[in-house]
Amino acid sequence: MVVFIAASLIQLIAMKNLYGEGLQALPFATTYEPQVHITALIARVFCIYIPVPFMFFFIKETEWNKGYEKVLMIRKGSREQMLIRKVSREMLMVIGMVIFLTVLYGLLGRSTKESLALNQIAEILLIYVLTIADSILLGHLLEFVAGLRREVVDITVNVFFVFSLLLPKIQANLIIKCILFPGTAFVKTGEIYKGICNDTYLIATMMLVGGLLMFLICIMKYREIDFL
């Protein structure tokens, strides 16, 4: 947790250096603009990404198949309940860390006098939480379905997250936008900030449904895993 807090402070400093007096509200979620020059895009993506890997690491620090976790998993009767409890804890931790970022930037990060409406703040944070949550569930999916090692999963999810932000959003169809959901989500949070997004809850619903589908697949595969 200390590392995540340190990464959040580093992000704050980087954001202030990059944007100066033009730093907008909730910049960890609203500063992504894929249409800018590639150099500026890389700088923005780097700033956005700084705390993300530490969020993933802190949330998924417990291995599924080691120690006491393994003992509980061997008991088939408790497998599904344990998976639900674990993922529920992870989602609560995501919400807690996003609240921390929100408070941090509210206290130290504001360089402008602009203010967002309460519904804009709620929509931006909702999309951001769902983005992190779905990325974590994607990692579980790769771990259970593809059988990848934890280290490989972590690298894959982080590379995917950054790649989705760096890839140009030129005439992308709906399927591509859904697959590259982190980039799509950050485009939407920027649009919400600017007041030009009319499909926030449609995007949120799609991300929620996608997350639930990944979770259900994880449960089905989880029942088949032999931990002995």
Side-chain angles (χ1 to χ4, degrees):
M1 188 64 175
V2 174
V3 178
F4 166 71
I5 293 173
S8 301
L9 292 171
I10 292 172
Q11 183 192 44
L12 173 62
I13 294 170
M15 287 278 189
K16 280 182 169 290
N17 288 334
L18 182 63
Y19 297 101
E21 294 299 320
L23 185 64
Q24 57 200 47
L26 303 177
F28 60 88
T30 61
T31 54
Y32 178 66
E33 291 186 18
Q35 295 82 12
V36 299
H37 188 271
I38 185 62
T39 304
L41 176 61
I42 291 174
R44 293 187 181 209
V45 170
F46 173 74
C47 286
I48 290 171
Y49 176 69
I50 289 173
V52 172
F54 300 100
M55 296 172 78
F56 293 160
F57 176 78
F58 178 69
I59 289 171
K60 295 176 63 180
E61 63 181 352
T62 304
E63 293 279 5
W64 291 96
N65 58 349
K66 291 185 178 180
Y68 186 60
E69 299 283 328
K70 180 176 179 178
V71 174
L72 290 178
M73 287 178 180
I74 294 174
R75 298 171 53 200
K76 292 186 178 180
S78 65
R79 282 191 175 190
E80 290 79 6
Q81 292 182 4
M82 181 180 173
L83 180 61
I84 292 171
R85 288 197 301 269
K86 184 174 179 63
V87 172
S88 297
R89 287 198 304 269
E90 291 175 347
M91 298 304 107
L92 289 175
M93 291 166 71
V94 170
I95 293 172
M97 286 187 283
V98 173
I99 290 174
F100 171 79
L101 284 172
T102 303
V103 173
L104 176 67
Y105 279 91
L107 295 175
L108 305 176
R110 297 297 297 277
S111 296
T112 63
K113 295 181 180 180
E114 64 180 344
S115 59
L116 294 175
L118 186 59
N119 67 302
Q120 286 179 290
I121 295 174
E123 291 172 6
I124 289 170
L125 295 181
L126 172 63
I127 298 296
Y128 188 82
V129 166
L130 288 173
T131 303
I132 302 300
D134 281 4
S135 298
I136 291 168
L137 289 170
L138 175 62
H140 292 328
L141 191 68
L142 292 172
E143 195 170 355
F144 289 142
V145 177
L148 299 179
R149 292 177 58 85
R150 169 69 180 276
E151 297 80 6
V152 178
V153 169
D154 290 342
I155 293 172
T156 302
V157 172
N158 279 279
V159 169
F160 165 76
F161 192 95
V162 174
F163 176 77
S164 70
L165 294 176
L166 291 175
L167 191 69
K169 308 298 185 295
I170 302 175
Q171 301 296 324
N173 60 40
L174 182 60
I175 295 177
I176 298 299
K177 288 181 178 179
C178 290
I179 293 174
L180 301 175
F181 65 87
T184 303
F186 276 98
V187 168
K188 291 302 174 183
T189 53
E191 291 178 353
I192 295 169
Y193 170 79
K194 297 174 183 176
I196 59 174
C197 183
N198 299 316
D199 57 354
T200 302
Y201 294 107
L202 173 62
I203 298 298
T205 301
M206 292 174 63
M207 295 182 70
L208 181 60
V209 171
L212 288 174
L213 286 175
M214 287 190 285
F215 181 56
L216 290 175
I217 294 173
C218 285
I219 289 179
M220 290 187 291
K221 295 300 294 184
Y222 184 61
R223 294 170 179 167
E224 305 170 2
I225 296 176
D226 183 6
F227 293 99
L228 294 175

